Amino acid sequence: MKDCYCSLCRKGIEEEGAPILAISGAGIPRYLCEECAAEVELAAGSLDVEQIKASVSSISDKISAYGLEDGVTMKTVGDILSAATKRAKAIEDGNYDPDAECAEGEELEELPEELLESEEDKLLDEKEAEAAAKLDKVMNWVWAGVLIGVAAFMVWWLFF
C-alpha cells in the first residue's frame, strides 16, 4: 500500500489488508499497524482489567506523543477508550454483565412497519423501471440514427 501510515503511531504500513480503524465521510480509510490494532482490540474486547488499563494507557500515550488531529480517528478512538474504561470499572466493581453489553450492539431483527416497502412503493418502482426501459430503448434508436447519419455524411463528404 502506497503512502499509508498508522492513524495512531504514524508508522508506515506496507502490507495489503491492514486493519481499518474508521472510514471518513469522504470514504478515506484510517488504517492501523498490527501493534496498534492489537492494542485497540484489547481495549475494545478484553475482560482483564490490567490488559484494558495497559491498552488504554498505551493508546493514550500514542495519541499524546504524535499529536493526533484527525477528527474521525479521535472520535472513534475516544469512543473505544470510553467504553473500555467503563467496562474496566464495571469489572472491578463486579457489576459487569457481558450479555448487557452485547445487547447494546444488537441489530434489529425486523424492520418497523413504517419502514417496510408498501405495495404502492412496489408498483411505483415497477412503473419507474418500465418508463426507464422505454426511454432506454428510444435513446438507443436515436443514437443509432445519429451514428447512421454521421456515417452517411462522412461517406458523402469523402466521395462527393
Side-chain angles (χ1 to χ4, degrees):
M1 294 173 29
K2 188 176 180 184
D3 297 330
C4 287
Y5 58 90
C6 178
S7 297
L8 295 179
C9 69
R10 305 288 188 228
K11 182 170 52 172
I13 299 174
E14 298 294 325
E15 69 273 357
E16 291 292 323
I20 296 175
L21 174 68
I23 297 179
S24 71
I28 300 169
R30 304 304 197 261
Y31 294 104
L32 291 175
C33 66
E34 292 298 322
E35 181 182 320
C36 290
E39 295 280 345
V40 169
E41 190 172 323
L42 278 175
S46 178
L47 297 177
D48 181 9
V49 176
E50 295 306 317
Q51 282 183 337
I52 295 171
K53 288 181 179 180
S55 295
V56 168
S57 176
S58 175
I59 293 169
S60 298
D61 291 345
K62 289 177 183 182
I63 290 172
S64 298
Y66 298 106
L68 187 60
E69 296 175 1
D70 178 38
V72 173
T73 304
M74 283 297 291
K75 176 165 180 5
T76 304
V77 171
D79 291 346
I80 291 169
L81 296 182
S82 174
T85 305
K86 287 179 186 175
R87 187 174 60 256
K89 179 149 178 49
I91 292 170
E92 279 183 330
D93 295 342
N95 298 330
Y96 179 68
D97 182 13
D99 294 333
E101 188 173 45
C102 291
E104 290 175 11
E106 285 182 8
E107 295 181 21
L108 294 175
E109 291 184 24
E110 290 186 29
L111 288 174
E113 188 174 326
E114 58 270 4
L115 295 179
L116 292 174
E117 188 173 37
S118 68
E119 291 300 319
E120 292 117 13
D121 292 336
K122 291 177 185 177
L123 289 173
L124 183 61
D125 288 343
E126 289 175 13
K127 287 181 182 178
E128 288 175 354
E130 289 174 12
K134 287 179 184 176
L135 179 64
D136 190 40
K137 190 173 186 178
V138 169
M139 291 306 294
N140 286 340
W141 282 105
V142 168
W143 279 111
V146 168
L147 289 174
I148 291 171
V150 168
F153 176 75
M154 296 292 272
V155 168
W156 177 78
W157 187 63
L158 288 173
F159 294 112
F160 298 104

